[in-house]
Amino acid sequence: VPLPSLMAAETAEAERIELALWEEKREAEVREARRRADEAAARSAAEWKEKLMRDMNRDVVQQARQQKEELVDGFLKNVVAQLRGLVYEATTDVLAAMKQQNKLPPRSVAQLRHLVDRVKALNFYGDEDVEVMVNKITFALGDRAADRDTAAIEGNLRDIATVMRATLIGLGETPRSARSVDIADVPTPEMVRTARRGLGLDGEEGDVPEMPFRSFRQARLVEAVA
């Protein structure tokens, strides 16, 4: 029969072993929890870094695209101003000559033909309004001098000058005054709509139509940044 003291010792040893096993298991669980927490933290940090890089890359691309658009728009805006300024100067010159001589002088005919050639060379971005205008001039000059309707030509030139002046003012330009040939210094929207209808253009547009180079820029230049 075991002595009570031996039984107590065996019980104490069993409890000690059980406690040691429990502590070891507990430490293993703590280590596993820490490992998982570290892995989750590392994964979260990696995902955050990846997202940050994507955001930074998107911001850089967007900024580059915006700068590209601004550069292209600035260049094309200057081209539009140059082209429409050229048309405005020529039409007002011819109007002044017609008012002075009560007819369309041969020199003005040559000036208009030269204008048509220059506009066709400069209009690489597809300004449909200007194309319609120069086509009207070309058609009007195609008749023999004796058969030309000078009144119709004068009316078309005045409508062209009105639309061109409104656009130039909208672009921040200061074209020379043409009040002497009945072109308002600041054409009203109604004046522009009337002029556009007279030329066969869309009469519902305001005094400064959408710049015609937008689609050209979007289709051919900005895509290089993407």
Side-chain angles (χ1 to χ4, degrees):
V1 178
L3 296 175
S5 59
L6 293 177
M7 294 180 61
E10 290 178 355
T11 301
E13 179 65 15
E15 291 178 350
R16 184 188 67 78
I17 293 174
E18 183 178 357
L19 179 61
L21 292 174
W22 181 86
E23 289 179 348
E24 184 178 351
K25 180 180 179 181
R26 179 61 179 168
E27 289 177 359
E29 290 176 349
V30 170
R31 287 195 299 270
E32 179 64 17
R34 287 177 179 174
R35 184 186 67 79
R36 292 180 179 178
D38 290 343
E39 288 181 352
R43 185 167 55 252
S44 177
E47 291 174 353
W48 176 82
K49 182 178 180 181
E50 183 179 358
K51 181 179 182 301
L52 180 62
M53 293 300 295
R54 286 198 307 267
D55 293 343
M56 289 177 61
N57 183 65
R58 184 180 63 251
D59 291 342
V60 169
V61 171
Q62 183 177 358
Q63 184 178 5
R65 181 181 292 110
Q66 182 178 356
Q67 292 176 349
K68 186 72 172 180
E69 290 178 0
E70 290 174 356
L71 290 173
V72 173
D73 280 354
F75 166 72
L76 292 177
K77 180 180 177 181
N78 291 334
V79 174
V80 171
Q82 179 183 357
L83 179 60
R84 297 204 171 203
L86 180 68
V87 175
Y88 176 79
E89 294 288 334
T91 52
T92 52
D93 281 347
V94 173
L95 285 170
M98 292 181 70
K99 184 175 182 179
Q100 182 179 5
Q101 302 185 30
N102 293 319
K103 64 177 182 179
L104 181 62
R107 182 175 181 181
S108 295
V109 174
Q111 184 177 4
L112 290 175
R113 293 190 188 280
H114 181 60
L115 170 67
V116 170
D117 292 337
R118 293 190 65 186
V119 167
K120 289 181 178 179
L122 287 173
N123 191 20
F124 63 89
Y125 57 90
D127 190 331
E128 295 180 359
D129 285 2
V130 172
E131 287 181 4
V132 171
M133 295 174 190
V134 297
N135 287 338
K136 277 190 170 292
I137 293 175
T138 302
F139 179 79
L141 297 180
D143 296 332
R144 296 183 306 166
D147 297 332
R148 287 176 187 145
D149 186 346
T150 55
I153 293 174
E154 183 179 1
N156 285 334
L157 293 178
R158 187 171 287 110
D159 289 340
I160 292 171
T162 298
V163 174
M164 293 296 97
R165 183 174 182 85
T167 305
L168 290 170
I169 292 174
L171 291 171
E173 300 292 322
T174 308
R176 70 183 183 187
S177 177
R179 283 179 295 178
S180 61
V181 290
D182 301 326
I183 306 299
D185 285 341
V186 183
T188 64
E190 182 58 34
M191 291 178 181
V192 177
R193 283 192 289 268
T194 300
R196 291 178 65 84
R197 283 194 294 267
L199 295 169
L201 301 172
D202 181 7
E204 298 301 320
E205 295 206 25
D207 50 347
V208 183
E210 176 73 13
M211 287 300 98
F213 57 73
R214 299 294 184 191
S215 59
F216 178 91
R217 180 255 287 169
Q218 290 292 341
R220 305 215 181 158
L221 296 177
V222 178
E223 63 183 12
V225 184

